[in-house]
Amino acid sequence: MHTHYEVIVIGGGHAGTEAAWAAASALAHGGSRGLSVEGRVALITMDPARIGQMSCNPAIGGLAKGQMVREIDALGGLMGLAIDATGIMFKMLNTSKGAAVRGPRAQADKYAYAAEVQRLISTRPSIDIIAGTVNDIVVEDGRVVGVVVPRAARVMHADQATIKWNLSNVGSARPAYQRNPPAEPGAKGRRLIRTHAVVLTTGTFMRGLMHTGEKRTEGGRVGEGSAISMSATLRRLGFELGRLKTGTPPRLARESIDFDGLDEQIGDAEPVPFSDLSPGALPAGRFPHLPQVDCHITATTAAAHELIRANLHRAPMYTGQIEAECGPRYCPSIEDKVVRFPDRESHHVFLEPESLHTNEIYCNGISTSLPIEVQERIVHLMPGCERAEILRWGYAVEYDMIWPHQIDSTCMAKSIAGLFLAGQINCTTGYEEAAGQGLIAGLNAARLACDDDLIRLRRDQAYIGVMLDDLVTKTPREPYRMFTSRAEHRLLLRADNADERLTPLGRELGLVDDRRWVAFGQRLDELMAVRDRFDSAVGGLVQGKTLREIARRPEVTVDDLLDRLDAKFDRRLVERVMTDVRYEGYIVRQNAEIKRQSKADGQRIPSWLDFHTIPGLRAEAADVLAKFRPATMGQVGRLAGVTPADLTLLAVTIRRGPRVAVS
C-alpha cells in the first residue's frame, strides 16, 4: 500500500466508482503540476466484492435519471457502459410525449452489473482497491491531508479471469475481488495515508440501522456492517448532520409465481443503448449483449391495505423506532402509500427479474419495514403471488447524512478544502444521482490535486448541474430525486444530445479518451451532414419545401424523413435533427434566457464579504446567505428568502469592494 495518493475515495458504490474513475482519468490527463499517469487513486471500501452492487432496484435510468446516465457517459463515465453490457430489458419511457421528457431505462442483471463495474475499474492500473474502513479524516489548517485506516487494511488486486461473459456463469461467478481478505499476521494499530483530496461516498452506511418490524440490525445493507466512526468524525469537523431513511421490498422466487393472467411489460423491439461507445465496447460487439426478458405487473389489494392499517402500530416509521426526519417521497413504502392515499384500493407492483441465472424477483412498489409475517400475507394477497416463496424480506434502513448547504456545487465542503462529498450522504436518492455527483466530485478532487480551478456544471448545461445547484440552494424536505420538471431548460437537456452538450467539455477536462473522442467526431460529422441535407435544395425538395419545413409538420415521422433523404443516415441522428427543428422557436427563447442568466452565474461572491455587515440588508436574507454561502450571484437569486431588493444591495456592496478600516 502506498503511503500517499493524490485522491482517496471512500466507498465503492455508484458514487465511489464514478469518482475513482473520473479522478484517475483527470490525473492521467495531468494539470498545472504535470502529474500525468503517476497520479494514483485509492478506493477504500469495506468489502471489495460488493463494489458496484445494486442494493435496491436492479435497474438504471428512467425519467430524468436516464438523461443523467447519458450525461455521465458523454463525460466519459462508467454507468452507461456497465448497463449496456448487462441490461436484460431496455425501454424508452414517455415515448408518447415530447423528446425532452423521454427517458431511457434498463433492467439489469445485478450480478453481471457489479462484475462489469469491477472489471472496468480493474482496467485502470492507477486505482488501488483497499479493503478496510476509514477510522478518521485528518485535517490541518482547514485542509484535508490524509485518512487513517486500520493497519490490517490491504490493497486488493482484480482477478479479471473470474469475470466470465459465458452466460451460464454470470449469476454464479465470484466477483472480481477477493471477499473478506485476511488480516496481516500480527497487524495492529492504524496507519496514516496522506492525500491531497478525499471523496466521501458513504451511501446508507453512516450509523446505518436496518429495521424489519421490531427487529433492528446494524448495517447499511443486508449482510454488511455500519460505518460508526465516520459520523463522529464529521461532527468533530463541524458538520451539521441529519438522518434519513429508505427501504427495499421483498424478493420472491420466480418459480413460485403464477404469471398467467398478469400483464406483461415488454422491452423495446429496437433498444437504444445508453453509451455512445456501444456496441463496439461490448463483448462480441453486439447490443443488447445479454438475452432480453419481460417483466410483469401485479397489484396490492383492498384486503392487503386493511391488513397494513391494522399493523401500522408495528411499522417502525409509525412507532417512533426510526429516528430519521424523512424518507423518499417519490419512492415511498407501501405503509406510506396506504396512509397517504386512503381512497386507493390497490397500487401497482412490478415483478422484475434481478438476474438471468438466479430466481430472484424484485417487487417494485411494496418497499416495507413491516414484520415478516405481515409482509408474507401482503405478498400472498397479490394476484399471481398466492403461493409465492419469499427469498428475502423487505426492510427499512436509516442512516446519517450531511445537510447539503454545507457543500459547494463542485461537491467540495465549504469549510474544509479537499473534502468532497457525493451520493446519499448529500441527501439524494438513486444510483444515477449518486453517480453524477461522484463523477463531479472525483473530477474536482483530481483538479484540486493538480492545482487547477474546480468545475461547476451550469443548469443549462446538464441535469447534473441542475441537481447540484438545487442541493446547494434549497433546503431539502426529503431525499432529492431528479425529475424533468426540475430543469427549466429541459428542451436543451435531452437524452439524445448529451454528447453535443458535454463530450467536448469532457475531452478538455481529460475525462474523454481517444476512442470516445474519435467516435464523437465521426458522429458529429454525420450529424452535420444530416443538418445540411435538411436545409439543402439537393436534400429533398417536396412541392417547393425543404426537409426542415416538412419536419415541422406534426404528422411527419422519422421514417418519412429517412425516405426523402438522398443518403443513408443513422435513424437516431435524423430524429435528433427533427426534434431540434420542432423545438427551434422554444430553444431560441431559452437561449436568450440563458444568456441573461449567465452573467449572474458568472459573477462570483468574494470571500471577504460578511453578509451581516451589509447596510440595509434584511436580517432574514443575511441569515440565509450566511447559511448557504452561495458561490455566485446566480445562486443568490435562487435562494428562498432573498428578494430582488436584497440582490441589488448585495451587488452594490460587491461593486464598492471591501472597506478599509481607518485608524
Side-chain angles (χ1 to χ4, degrees):
M1 187 187 303
H2 294 265
T3 58
H4 172 85
Y5 290 89
E6 301 300 330
V7 175
I8 292 175
V9 178
I10 302 172
H14 303 280
T17 51
E18 293 288 354
W21 183 264
S25 299
L27 288 171
H29 174 67
S32 58
R33 294 170 55 210
L35 289 172
S36 70
V37 293
E38 285 76 25
R40 299 198 63 81
V41 177
L43 175 58
I44 305 177
T45 181
M46 288 189 287
D47 186 353
R50 304 218 184 196
I51 288 173
Q53 179 169 325
M54 291 179 149
S55 30
C56 197
N57 189 8
I60 294 292
L63 303 179
K65 291 170 171 280
Q67 281 89 324
M68 280 202 292
V69 179
R70 289 281 296 125
E71 292 172 356
I72 291 164
D73 183 73
L75 287 167
L78 288 174
M79 185 169 271
L81 288 169
I83 187 57
D84 280 354
T86 60
I88 57 178
M89 189 185 90
F90 291 82
K91 192 173 184 65
M92 185 67 71
L93 306 182
N94 259 2
T95 53
S96 63
K97 299 182 180 179
V101 294
R102 294 173 192 163
R105 182 185 187 273
Q107 202 70 24
D109 183 313
K110 71 176 188 180
Y111 300 106
Y113 184 91
E116 177 63 2
V117 170
Q118 292 180 29
R119 185 192 70 80
L120 288 166
I121 290 289
S122 73
T123 64
R124 292 295 177 88
S126 61
I127 300 177
D128 281 353
I129 306 296
I130 299 178
T133 58
V134 173
N135 300 122
D136 198 7
I137 298 173
V138 182
V139 176
E140 295 177 359
D141 299 323
R143 188 183 184 98
V144 164
V145 297
V147 301
V148 176
V149 299
R151 190 162 293 278
R154 308 182 52 186
V155 173
M156 308 304 297
H157 298 287
D159 177 8
Q160 292 177 251
T162 64
I163 299 175
K164 307 294 185 182
W165 282 108
N166 183 330
L167 295 183
S168 63
N169 294 324
V170 166
S172 57
R174 60 191 175 92
Y177 295 94
Q178 177 184 347
R179 182 183 295 276
N180 299 326
E184 297 174 7
K188 294 181 180 179
R190 301 176 177 184
R191 67 175 73 178
L192 171 67
I193 308 175
R194 292 197 169 270
T195 187
H196 292 290
V198 169
V199 182
L200 186 59
T201 69
T202 53
T204 59
F205 285 86
M206 279 208 309
R207 283 204 313 131
L209 186 62
M210 295 176 286
H211 301 260
T212 301
E214 296 83 3
K215 180 183 177 183
R216 288 183 284 191
T217 308
E218 283 192 358
R221 199 160 50 197
V222 166
E224 297 185 67
S226 178
I228 302 295
S229 63
M230 189 54 65
S231 293
T233 294
L234 292 175
R235 283 197 178 91
R236 176 177 56 79
L237 293 174
F239 287 96
E240 179 187 351
L241 271 60
R243 197 148 175 86
L244 297 177
K245 83 168 186 78
T246 188
T248 193
R251 273 63 160 184
L252 312 182
R254 179 190 285 111
E255 66 276 8
S256 68
I257 301 172
D258 181 7
F259 291 105
D260 293 340
L262 297 183
D263 290 337
E264 283 186 318
Q265 266 201 324
I266 301 172
D268 293 338
E270 296 182 11
V272 177
F274 279 90
S275 177
D276 288 327
L277 291 182
S278 300
L282 296 176
R286 73 172 182 269
F287 176 81
H289 176 68
L290 299 184
Q292 300 297 284
V293 302
D294 298 334
C295 298
H296 292 79
I297 305 174
T298 183
T300 57
T301 62
H305 291 195
E306 286 301 318
L307 177 65
I308 292 167
R309 292 187 190 98
N311 284 276
L312 285 176
H313 65 286
R314 304 181 67 192
M317 194 63 183
Y318 291 91
T319 63
Q321 181 175 311
I322 292 179
E323 301 172 9
E325 287 95 338
C326 55
R329 183 199 305 186
Y330 301 102
C331 188
S333 67
I334 188 60
E335 301 97 282
D336 291 334
K337 290 180 183 179
V338 168
V339 171
R340 286 166 49 191
F341 307 105
D343 297 333
R344 290 280 299 273
E345 293 190 349
S346 68
H347 293 280
H348 280 139
V349 179
F350 299 89
L351 302 177
E352 301 172 339
E354 293 202 320
S355 173
L356 292 173
H357 297 283
T358 67
N359 64 342
E360 299 159 283
I361 299 294
Y362 180 90
C363 294
N364 189 350
I366 54 168
S367 170
T368 183
S369 61
L370 285 163
I372 58 176
E373 64 271 20
V374 180
Q375 291 189 37
E376 184 172 33
R377 291 172 65 189
I378 292 169
V379 167
H380 289 164
L381 285 168
M382 298 191 307
C385 301
E386 292 84 356
R387 297 177 179 81
E389 176 190 353
I390 300 177
L391 300 174
R392 198 174 93 192
W393 305 105
Y395 63 91
V397 57
E398 57 174 321
Y399 56 95
D400 286 348
M401 42 70 76
I402 72 151
W403 294 108
H405 66 267
Q406 299 167 99
I407 65 167
D408 183 63
S409 54
T410 62
C411 288
M412 189 168 76
K414 293 173 181 175
S415 59
I416 299 175
L419 178 59
F420 296 82
L421 300 104
Q424 285 176 286
I425 191 173
N426 288 338
C427 195
T428 63
T429 180
Y431 306 147
E432 303 82 2
E433 289 86 347
Q437 294 170 71
L439 186 149
I440 297 300
L443 165 67
N444 280 323
R447 291 183 68 82
L448 185 78
C450 294
D451 290 333
D452 286 336
D453 292 337
L454 304 190
I455 297 299
R456 293 176 176 84
L457 292 181
R458 303 186 310 272
R459 294 183 71 90
D460 62 280
Q461 202 170 16
Y463 272 95
I464 298 171
V466 173
M467 170 179 63
L468 286 168
D469 187 74
D470 282 349
L471 288 175
V472 303
T473 60
K474 297 175 174 62
T475 300
R477 291 177 297 173
E478 68 275 325
Y480 184 94
R481 179 177 178 175
M482 180 52 72
F483 293 100
T484 55
S485 58
R486 296 190 190 273
E488 63 271 36
H489 303 300
R490 58 185 173 273
L491 295 180
L492 301 174
L493 307 183
R494 307 192 308 269
D496 63 354
N497 66 5
D499 56 346
E500 281 188 279
R501 291 187 277 120
L502 296 171
T503 297
L505 174 64
R507 181 65 173 183
E508 178 186 339
L509 299 174
L511 299 177
V512 169
D513 60 18
D514 291 342
R515 182 180 183 183
R516 183 180 294 276
W517 186 241
V518 169
F520 171 71
Q522 293 170 345
R523 193 165 53 255
L524 192 61
D525 287 344
E526 185 175 349
L527 189 62
M528 293 301 105
V530 173
R531 286 172 176 157
D532 287 343
R533 294 297 201 283
F534 266 55
D535 289 318
S536 171
V538 180
L541 282 175
V542 178
Q543 296 178 348
K545 294 186 181 295
T546 64
L547 284 181
R548 175 177 291 274
E549 293 170 299
I550 294 168
R552 291 194 179 102
R553 299 174 179 172
E555 72 276 8
V556 172
T557 66
V558 179
D559 290 327
D560 293 332
L561 298 176
L562 285 167
D563 290 341
R564 290 184 170 113
L565 284 166
D566 58 358
K568 186 176 181 180
F569 293 107
D570 186 320
R571 177 188 179 88
R572 287 175 293 175
L573 297 183
V574 174
E575 187 170 15
R576 189 194 303 191
V577 176
M578 183 181 77
T579 300
D580 286 336
V581 168
R582 289 183 171 177
Y583 285 158
E584 194 169 29
Y586 300 102
I587 289 173
V588 168
R589 288 202 292 271
Q590 285 207 352
N591 283 330
E593 294 171 9
I594 290 166
K595 189 175 181 179
R596 287 194 296 270
Q597 184 62 38
S598 62
K599 183 178 180 181
D601 281 324
Q603 185 178 359
R604 305 280 298 166
I605 304 296
S607 58
W608 53 260
L609 191 61
D610 181 350
F611 300 112
H612 286 99
T613 64
I614 298 175
L617 187 66
R618 295 175 310 114
E620 178 191 355
D623 290 344
V624 168
L625 290 166
K627 175 181 178 180
F628 284 91
R629 293 169 59 190
T632 69
M633 287 294 286
Q635 288 184 356
V636 172
R638 292 187 286 273
L639 291 174
V642 177
T643 67
D646 298 325
L647 272 170
T648 300
L649 283 171
L650 186 59
V652 169
T653 303
I654 292 172
R655 280 199 302 271
R656 288 176 176 170
R659 294 184 177 184
V660 179
V662 179
S663 57

